[in-house]
Amino acid sequence: MCKLQRWSYTAGTMISSRFHKPCTLLLLLASGCADRCAEPGVKDDTGPCPTWYFDLDGDGYGQDERATVSCSEPRDHALQGGDCDDSSAEIHPGAPELCDTYDNDCDGTVDEDLELLPWYPDADGDGYGDPLGEPVEGCAPPSGYAGDPTDCDDGDPLVHPGAEDLLCDGLDADCDGQGAEAEAVYDSVEYGSVEEAVDAAERGAEVLVCPGRHDTLLELPGGTQLTLASWSGDPEDTVLSGGETHRIILVEPGSRLTVENLGLEDGYSDSPSPTYFIQAGAAVMGEDADLIMDGCVVRGNLSVRNGGAVTVYMAQDSELETRELTVRDCLFEDNGSDGVSALFYYSQGVGGDQYVTIEGSTFQHNTAQEASTVWVFGEHNPEGSLDARVSSCSFIENSSATGAFRFTHSGSEGSLTLSDSIFQDNYGSYPSGHGGLALDLSEGASAIVSGSGFVDNNATGANGGAIDMDLSGDNPWVEITGCNFEGNIAEEDGGAIEIGDVDGRGSVWILDSTFTGNAVGLLGGAIHHGYVWDGDESLSLLIDGCLFTDNTAGDCGGAIAGQGGEALIVI
């Protein structure tokens, strides 16, 4: 410890004027001595100690209210204060102002000096706003708003620009202006109409029709090969319509059309034409063309001529080597015509083989004023054959003049095979109203009917409540085996089966069948055969293994009756 004393100074030598004992002295500045004697931690040898501010977020700016003076840096402190949010390193004096509703630079204002942008209502939250909505301004979108006003459906989060646009879903998912009104798809491209898609399709291509009801008028040029199918596979939700004003599809010669799982409804045809049958086929008219129909619903079509719904007409000058009509798993319902109401196949003077196949299909509530519900007709085809096969079909409550199904063939080889089908509640109108099946065979044509049921069919004013047949020419023959005839009625002859006047040499075999409760106004409650003309005409009628129960006739032959000529009946 140094004690202050009075000093005398001579020539650089300090001599105390009074002292008690010698001591070594250091020359000290008065100010240094004063600092050493100051409060510790407040001052040091450089001057006053700085103020430190508690800095929780480490951004170099601390809290003004938590300041401390120290000559050494305290932990978690900074030399600058003014931090208005010490929990965020992004917020402090001098920080760039962001559009985030915070005072980033701690100047007391929020989001100042930033560009204000329009924001549009985004009800479905897909990031795209409604262009028709009322916009609000701000530097950032409020909740429920978006900056891109290009949403074409703000009620569906799956619909917006850039979204996956599924084909045939009825939506313009990517808002490109296409897809919402698409009717058909070809080669993964949507088209606004079925006609446009068909026009774009190459030969042999498939055009898929989108769900919906589409007013359609297709005219397929000669040589077309096309498959027209439902996108969904459901003919009830994918319908081509004629709008009750026009035909739906016209197929020109040399073409092949396949129609799958489509509805064909409300077609109409009454156009005059030098070609008789061109007026037919309100749903589909094919001239010298192959037609394949699979899983279709053909409903409510009307033609003033034959083929109220579908007609295929094969002419003598056809260029096709073989000809085909196939109808599989289809429904023909509520179709009408002055002629054939549902389905008409007609060939005239055609060479080559013809194949008509109808399977798994239902024909119900169709009305034919002057002909049949279904008619397969081959006429004057000396160089070809007609092979018709009908299986697992139902003919229910149809009204026609010449039967629910009619097969006519003359002039060459022709055959009908009908199996495992049902004819029920069909009604034949006057004057020649056969109720169920009508067969017109000549010159070697044949028909085999097996495993089928004929129930409650009615031939009003005519013959053959279930089956009516006319045989002419050389060796036409019919075999009926394993069938059931029940409750059929004819006003004149043949309550179940009528074999009309035979003009030639014909054979009829009826085997292993049952006849129950059939009735007739005149002759043959179950079976009747007409006149067999004298000369070279003859009828060979074989009835074997059959059961007859409760059949009645108004005149004679409750079970079987025959009239005149040469007929051989074996039972």
Side-chain angles (χ1 to χ4, degrees):
M1 174 66 76
C2 173
K3 291 185 179 181
L4 294 178
Q5 301 180 12
R6 190 182 323 179
W7 302 94
S8 62
Y9 176 81
T10 303
T13 302
M14 291 186 296
I15 302 174
S16 175
S17 59
R18 80 186 158 94
F19 53 87
H20 299 287
K21 61 181 179 179
C23 81
T24 303
L25 300 176
L26 299 174
L27 182 61
L28 300 175
L29 295 175
S31 60
C33 183
D35 288 341
R36 243 181 217 94
C37 296
E39 181 180 350
V42 176
K43 292 183 178 181
D44 60 14
D45 56 359
T46 62
C49 294
T51 299
W52 300 88
Y53 302 90
F54 182 70
D55 181 15
L56 177 64
D57 57 15
D59 60 3
Y61 294 84
Q63 306 174 33
D64 288 343
E65 62 273 19
R66 299 184 65 179
T68 184
V69 177
S70 174
C71 291
S72 60
E73 180 180 354
R75 184 177 180 181
D76 297 329
H77 281 66
L79 288 172
Q80 300 184 79
D83 199 333
C84 55
D85 185 351
D86 203 29
S87 64
S88 173
E90 304 298 324
I91 298 177
H92 56 76
E97 189 69 21
L98 304 177
C99 184
D100 57 4
T101 70
Y102 290 100
D103 180 14
N104 302 95
D105 58 3
C106 296
D107 65 353
T109 57
V110 175
D111 297 345
E112 74 276 8
D113 301 328
L114 298 176
E115 181 182 4
L116 299 181
L117 301 173
W119 305 98
Y120 297 84
D122 181 16
D124 56 14
D126 60 6
Y128 294 85
D130 183 356
L132 302 179
E134 185 69 27
V136 299
E137 287 191 339
C139 61
S143 177
Y145 284 77
D148 187 339
T150 57
D151 201 334
C152 55
D153 185 352
D154 203 33
D156 189 339
L158 299 180
V159 177
H160 58 76
E164 182 182 5
D165 196 1
L166 301 178
L167 298 176
C168 264
D169 63 354
L171 298 175
D172 180 15
D174 59 1
C175 297
D176 65 353
Q178 299 180 359
E181 303 299 327
E183 288 190 1
V185 172
Y186 164 63
D187 197 22
S188 299
V189 176
E190 291 179 315
Y191 290 84
S193 71
V194 177
E195 291 88 341
E196 290 177 1
V198 169
D199 288 344
E202 296 181 356
R203 180 181 172 89
E206 179 181 56
V207 170
L208 298 174
V209 181
C210 300
R213 188 177 186 87
H214 312 296
D215 190 284
T216 304
L217 175 57
L218 286 177
E219 296 184 357
L220 305 182
T224 297
Q225 291 191 11
L226 177 70
T227 296
L228 197 60
S230 164
W231 174 273
S232 67
D234 185 351
E236 295 290 356
D237 72 15
T238 308
V239 177
L240 303 184
S241 171
E244 299 182 349
T245 62
H246 57 81
R247 176 185 287 124
I248 301 172
I249 303 175
L250 175 63
V251 189
E252 296 185 354
S255 298
R256 181 180 179 87
L257 173 65
T258 300
V259 184
E260 297 179 350
N261 302 312
L262 282 175
L264 302 172
E265 298 186 4
D266 298 331
Y268 180 76
S269 177
D270 68 347
S271 58
S273 170
T275 304
Y276 177 82
F277 291 104
I278 204 67
Q279 296 179 340
V284 181
M285 172 65 206
E287 186 172 5
D288 293 322
D290 289 342
L291 176 63
I292 296 90
M293 302 181 66
D294 193 347
C296 295
V297 172
V298 185
R299 179 185 289 131
N301 300 282
L302 178 63
S303 171
V304 298
R305 286 290 181 90
N306 289 312
V310 176
T311 292
V312 175
Y313 170 55
M314 296 296 183
Q316 184 173 357
D317 58 355
S318 174
E319 297 180 358
L320 299 173
E321 294 183 3
T322 61
R323 297 151 184 86
E324 176 184 359
L325 169 64
T326 297
V327 176
R328 183 182 299 111
D329 299 328
C330 292
L331 169 64
F332 286 73
E333 181 177 48
D334 297 324
N335 301 287
S337 173
D338 289 348
V340 180
S341 60
L343 178 63
F344 187 27
Y345 179 90
Y346 179 78
S347 65
Q348 183 180 34
V350 174
D353 296 328
Q354 305 169 63
Y355 301 93
V356 176
T357 303
I358 306 172
E359 61 182 35
S361 296
T362 297
F363 301 83
Q364 63 185 23
H365 309 145
N366 301 286
T367 301
Q369 298 291 338
E370 299 176 3
S372 306
T373 302
V374 178
W375 193 359
V376 178
F377 189 173
E379 182 178 25
H380 306 305
N381 300 320
E383 298 180 1
S385 65
L386 173 60
D387 181 7
R389 297 178 181 271
V390 180
S391 63
S392 303
C393 290
S394 298
F395 299 84
I396 310 294
E397 296 182 359
N398 299 286
S399 176
S400 63
T402 57
F405 184 93
R406 184 177 185 182
F407 179 75
T408 301
H409 195 269
S410 64
S412 66
E413 294 183 5
S415 64
L416 167 68
T417 302
L418 189 151
S419 61
D420 303 316
S421 296
I422 180 72
F423 291 74
Q424 184 169 349
D425 292 315
N426 297 289
Y427 179 84
S429 58
Y430 182 85
S432 57
H434 312 304
L437 172 64
L439 301 173
D440 306 311
L441 306 180
S442 67
E443 301 180 20
S446 64
I448 299 176
V449 181
S450 64
S452 297
F454 297 82
V455 179
D456 296 333
N457 301 286
N458 190 329
T460 302
N463 306 315
I467 299 177
D468 180 86
M469 63 183 81
D470 288 317
L471 308 178
S472 62
D474 292 333
N475 302 317
W477 63 275
V478 177
E479 178 181 320
I480 300 171
T481 182
C483 293
N484 176 53
F485 298 86
E486 181 177 353
N488 300 286
I489 298 174
E491 187 168 330
E492 295 185 357
D493 301 328
I497 298 176
E498 165 71 7
I499 305 169
D501 296 347
V502 177
D503 185 10
R505 300 174 182 270
S507 299
V508 178
W509 296 359
I510 304 174
L511 310 173
D512 301 320
S513 297
T514 59
F515 297 80
T516 305
N518 301 285
V520 70
L522 296 177
L523 305 175
I527 301 172
H528 172 260
H529 77 79
Y531 284 99
V532 179
W533 303 106
D534 295 334
D536 294 333
E537 288 77 22
S538 66
L539 169 66
S540 174
L541 174 61
L542 171 64
I543 302 174
D544 186 26
C546 295
L547 177 64
F548 297 85
T549 306
D550 298 329
N551 302 284
T552 60
D555 194 342
C556 67
I560 302 172
Q563 290 178 279
E566 296 184 7
L568 173 63
I569 302 175
V570 180
I571 301 178

